[in-house]
Amino acid sequence: MQPEPIDTEPSPACYLCGQPGDVLHSRLTDRLFGAPGEWTLKQCRSPNCGLVWLDPRPTAADIGKAYQTYYTHDHGGHRQLTRAARIVRGILHPLSVILLGLRRERRRYKRIYLDKTLPGRLLEVGCGNGKRLARMQKSGWQVAGQEVDPLAADQVRQKYGIAVHLGPLETMDTAGPYDAIIMSHVIEHVHDPLAMLQTCHRLLKKDGVIVLLTPNTASYGHRTFGADWRGLEPPRHLHLFNQQTLTQLAEKAGFGSVQAWTTPVGAYGIGQSSRSAAELTDTAQLDTGRITVRDVLRGFRFQVAASVRYLFDKNSGEECVLIAKKIS
């Protein structure tokens, strides 16, 4: 049975500065979760911007069709590891963290860079399976989540006993104020990211902080894999950022003390998943949906290459990190 087509709407101009865009990648398909359609990504022509966006894009009413087989639940991804791949990854992953000097960065990443912040009230926007919230709760934070997926929200409540608001963030009218709001790989999914950050600003206490992670369009992975880069993920990623555009967005939303940087800590997953359609067909991955030893080794090699590149180019990390403060 063919999936139902996704209704689209034009998005010809840059969301941040209104400039026209040039085609960056065309005829993209969803190789991860099988959403229908072919998609085009454009990049802003302005040298002071560089935002990347989907044009045309799914309408707000129809974008749910792109998530029908999406992972937000217990398992860490759509594809599962073979037994041999699990053994190899269990050996190589901790070894690579130590040898590449990523142990401290990985600890900070897991606590979403709030490791030096005194615990208080924390909200995670798009909390998914709740693992991060549970980790932050163990670190002393009073946590709550927001989620639009009812299955994910129910799972977090049942598994961890954490309160989750089901529905759009802007419907949290009586919530807050929070000391910290976090979101990991959420901002790229929304039609109006500025409105989302403005809502976060409203929900924060004065001097409260927002921390967000999102794919970095200036990353080594994007330069290496091009249209096959895992971070593109059409048609779910509507806007894609770099340090410059992410900073501009936060400042437009009213935040101050904005800091942005990149991190290579997630390069393993990017290397494992950034494969062309030809590679997928050659290795029968489209049929089996399994992560093999070959995939694990690919991810390990890319983690090494990306980490070495990062030593000389701090803008090359696979993810942008932003921390900003509500100053008024």
Side-chain angles (χ1 to χ4, degrees):
M1 183 177 180
Q2 292 293 324
E4 191 176 348
I6 299 173
D7 288 339
T8 62
E9 61 188 10
S11 181
C14 175
Y15 175 84
L16 281 178
C17 71
Q19 294 293 312
D22 296 318
V23 172
L24 180 65
H25 302 300
S26 61
R27 303 195 67 181
L28 300 173
T29 57
D30 181 14
R31 298 173 190 161
L32 296 168
F33 303 102
E38 290 190 343
W39 307 92
T40 297
L41 281 166
K42 290 184 175 178
Q43 185 167 31
C44 182
R45 293 176 186 172
S46 171
N48 298 318
C49 185
L51 185 74
V52 174
W53 72 92
L54 210 59
D55 178 32
R57 65 185 185 184
T59 63
D62 238 32
I63 196 167
K65 293 177 182 177
Y67 292 87
Q68 289 180 352
T69 60
Y70 190 65
Y71 62 86
T72 49
H73 307 137
D74 237 356
H75 49 81
H78 187 60
R79 298 162 59 227
Q80 302 297 305
L81 281 86
T82 64
R83 185 172 182 273
R86 188 176 293 109
I87 293 170
V88 172
R89 191 179 73 168
I91 296 170
L92 290 183
H93 185 64
L95 186 63
S96 67
V97 169
I98 295 169
L99 293 179
L100 297 173
L102 294 173
R103 188 156 45 182
R104 179 176 177 273
E105 176 69 6
R106 185 167 173 79
R107 282 199 302 267
R108 297 197 68 209
Y109 181 89
K110 279 183 166 292
R111 294 192 180 179
I112 203 158
Y113 299 95
L114 289 173
D115 49 308
K116 296 181 180 179
T117 303
L118 288 175
R121 296 191 70 216
L122 178 144
L123 172 70
E124 181 170 16
V125 177
C127 62
N129 60 23
K131 288 183 179 178
R132 185 177 292 100
L133 279 178
R135 187 182 303 127
M136 299 306 288
Q137 189 176 54
K138 288 180 180 178
S139 298
W141 291 85
Q142 302 171 45
V143 302
Q146 175 272 335
E147 182 56 66
V148 295
D149 182 338
L151 293 177
D154 284 345
Q155 184 181 70
V156 176
R157 295 185 192 113
Q158 293 173 16
K159 185 171 184 178
Y160 300 112
I162 294 172
V164 178
H165 172 82
L166 179 61
L169 183 64
E170 60 268 22
T171 62
M172 296 185 68
D173 291 332
T174 59
Y178 293 97
D179 298 283
I181 293 178
I182 61 174
M183 60 176 82
S184 177
H185 292 260
V186 173
I187 199 74
E188 66 271 19
H189 290 262
V190 301
H191 284 77
D192 194 350
L194 177 59
M196 172 173 275
L197 290 193
Q198 288 171 332
T199 301
C200 290
H201 190 275
R202 174 176 60 82
L203 293 172
L204 280 169
K205 294 179 180 177
K206 187 178 183 299
D207 294 325
V209 296
I210 184 169
V211 187
L212 65 87
L213 306 173
T214 192
N216 174 27
T217 57
S219 72
Y220 176 64
H222 192 196
R223 294 176 230 167
T224 301
F225 297 113
D228 298 317
W229 182 51
R230 170 67 175 82
L232 300 180
E233 200 175 316
R236 286 168 295 278
H237 289 182
L238 307 181
H239 302 94
L240 289 158
F241 301 88
N242 56 30
Q243 290 181 75
Q244 178 174 265
T245 52
L246 200 59
T247 297
Q248 292 171 6
L249 183 69
E251 289 174 345
K252 281 190 173 188
F255 286 97
S257 301
V258 179
Q259 303 174 62
W261 66 92
T262 77
T263 177
V265 74
Y268 168 86
I270 295 294
Q272 177 186 285
S273 303
S274 296
R275 295 166 302 154
S276 68
E279 286 179 298
L280 286 167
T281 302
D282 289 345
T283 57
Q285 295 301 315
L286 285 173
D287 295 326
T288 66
R290 305 286 281 175
I291 296 172
T292 65
V293 171
R294 182 179 177 181
D295 295 324
V296 171
L297 293 176
R298 181 190 294 109
F300 175 69
R301 286 195 299 269
F302 183 72
Q303 178 74 76
V304 172
S307 298
V308 171
R309 181 60 176 264
Y310 186 75
L311 293 175
F312 304 96
D313 179 4
K314 298 302 182 184
N315 191 39
S316 68
E318 294 308 304
E319 293 164 276
C320 288
V321 185
L322 180 135
I323 297 181
K325 184 178 289 189
K326 179 177 179 175
I327 57 177
S328 62

